[in-house]
Amino acid sequence: KYHPEYTPLSAEGNKIMMSIHGANYNVCLARAACPEKTKKLVSCWKRLSAKESAALAEAGLGEYVCLEERKEVERCIGSGVQRAVKDILG
C-alpha cells in the first residue's frame, strides 16, 4: 500500500520526472562551476516562449536553441573537470 501523499507515476511520467530532475541538476552544477556563462545561457532560454521552444523541438531544431551559450557552459564545466582530475592525479 502506498503512502496517502504518494501518487505512483506511469512509466512515461517517471521518464518526464527523471528528465526534469536531470536538467535541474545540470543547471545547478553549471551555476556553481560557471556562473557567468550559465547566466548567459539561462537568459537565452528565457527569451524564447514555451510556444516557440515547442515549435523548434517539433521541427527537430531543439538542439540548436542557445547552441553557442550551451557549448560555452559545456566547455567551462569540462575544463573544471579536467583541472580537478589533474589535481587529483598530480
Side-chain angles (χ1 to χ4, degrees):
K1 183 118 174 143
Y2 294 111
H3 186 278
E5 293 179 11
Y6 174 74
T7 304
L9 296 173
S10 65
E12 184 63 27
N14 278 322
K15 183 177 177 183
I16 291 168
M17 288 303 293
M18 280 183 16
S19 177
I20 290 168
H21 289 303
N24 286 340
Y25 174 81
N26 288 342
V27 170
C28 181
L29 175 64
R31 281 188 172 142
C34 308
E36 292 305 312
K37 293 184 185 316
T38 302
K39 196 179 293 183
K40 287 181 186 177
L41 175 58
V42 171
S43 176
C44 178
W45 284 336
K46 286 182 177 181
R47 285 194 297 264
L48 283 177
S49 71
K51 188 176 179 178
E52 291 168 324
S53 183
L56 288 167
E58 269 188 44
L61 301 172
E63 67 188 83
Y64 299 106
V65 175
C66 303
L67 180 64
E68 286 306 312
E69 293 86 350
R70 189 166 31 91
K71 284 186 174 189
E72 281 187 36
V73 172
E74 289 171 357
R75 282 191 294 269
C76 178
I77 291 172
S79 295
V81 170
Q82 185 178 26
R83 282 191 305 274
V85 170
K86 281 183 179 178
D87 287 348
I88 291 168
L89 298 178

